[in-house]
Amino acid sequence: MHLTAPDERILAGEQGYVMQKAMEILAALGDIYDADRLIPVKSTQIAGVSYKTIGDAGLEWISDLSGVVRVPSILNPAGIDRLRWRELGVSEEFAAKQEQIIDAYEKLGIITECTCTPYHLRDDIAETGDHLAWSESSAVSYANSVIGARTNREGGPSALAAALIGKTPNYGYHLDENRIPSLAIRVEGELSGTDYGALGYIAGGIAGAKVSVFSLESVPTDDERKALGAAMAASGAVALYYIEGLPPHPPGGERGHRYVYERDIAERITIEHSEIAGVYGMCRCDPDIIALGCPHCSAEELAELRDLLAGKTVTKEFWICTSRALRNRHPDIVAGIESSGAKVICDTCMVVSPVCARYDCMMVASGKALAYVPQMCGTDAVLGRIEDCVRAAVGDAG
Ligand code: F3S
């Protein structure tokens, strides 16, 4: 990979050890993936934040770093709600270690908003055509498939290296040739809400890492596309998908000219509505916690939950995960939700919090959580529509 003269000097150690190591990571990735050069990134999103997932080794590594990031950089969810961890039953020791991790990132100039939906916070960190270095798989999918920006699925270290250098190697989803769909998925029947997470759960398992293009009978909202991409990235490794008729379009098909990529479609499948309905019934455990907001809820999703919970009282633990920025921006919506006894949880989520392991069965409305909760928490997970989740939380099975 070609490096500019200033980049070569960083690689030689002119700007210190940490910058040298950051450049080494990017140069090694560029060489492995045959990138021609480094390209500037607009923003980074950095995974490897929860003490539950990175442990003492990760804390030590981050604490040894110095320098300042060159582009807006946002953290992925941590293991605690930074204000309510006691109430949620997190240990003092875990919370202290978690705060040390966040402090270490903050010293590098990283925005310590811990969320998998950085695009809900501000529009200027990712716009159509921007190159990014984001880590969290649902955020990567949203950036590529909804915003029309370009990012690979970075590991924590490579996203951090990109943040410090302000660049990333030009390979993978940064290049037109890797953004052309090879799998066409026709979906039968109208979908809404959680159906998109169920669809993603099935489609991700079929697609693996292939770029897919969906033909749908209904038009999804951005939140439904968020749910679809998150689930596909969890049950498969899908970082980019398209929906026929909606931007972004595959390269060359910007005006919706399907023939531009038709010749590259190697496989066509149909997913029937009954298969999607079947995902709801995969597990029938009796939930002792209901947890929504995977990925973190948008303002619209919070408002929907406030309306569904109006006048009700929850009788089970009910988490609604979102970013702290949105919680702070919408105090009236949050107050409406919490008057039911549900908890609007920030900075963390039902998968990366250590608390989730205490429950036997979690009801979720997310295909991603359905895939990850059993793996990461050892807890059974059952999928429900939002309305079913609210019914379960208020103890009204009917
Ligand atoms: Fe976000 Fe946690 Fe789900 S990081 S996508 S809420 S597993």
Side-chain angles (χ1 to χ4, degrees), residues 307-314 336-337 339-342 390-391 394 396:
D307 294 345
L308 288 169
L309 284 163
K312 298 191 168 83
T313 302
V314 304
I337 291 172
S339 65
S340 71
V390 169
R391 263 198 293 275
V394 301
D396 169 13

Side-chain angles (χ1 to χ4, degrees), residues 1-2 19 85 155 211 257 265-266 305 315 356-357 360 388-389 396:
M1 180 174 69
H2 170 75
M19 291 294 278
W85 55 269
V211 179
H257 292 324
I265 299 291
L305 282 160
T315 57
C356 62
D360 294 324
D388 298 331
C389 290
D396 169 13

Side-chain angles (χ1 to χ4, degrees), residues 334-380:
V334 171
I337 291 172
E338 294 197 328
S339 65
S340 71
K343 298 181 174 108
V344 177
I345 303 293
C346 305
D347 318 317
T348 187
C349 77
M350 67 292 278
V351 169
V352 298
S353 163
V355 177
C356 62
R358 290 193 201 138
Y359 296 93
D360 294 324
C361 171
M362 184 182 294
M363 189 169 196
V364 298
S366 153
K368 175 168 179 175
L370 184 70
Y372 274 17
V373 164
Q375 286 175 34
M376 301 276 291
C377 308
T379 302
D380 288 338

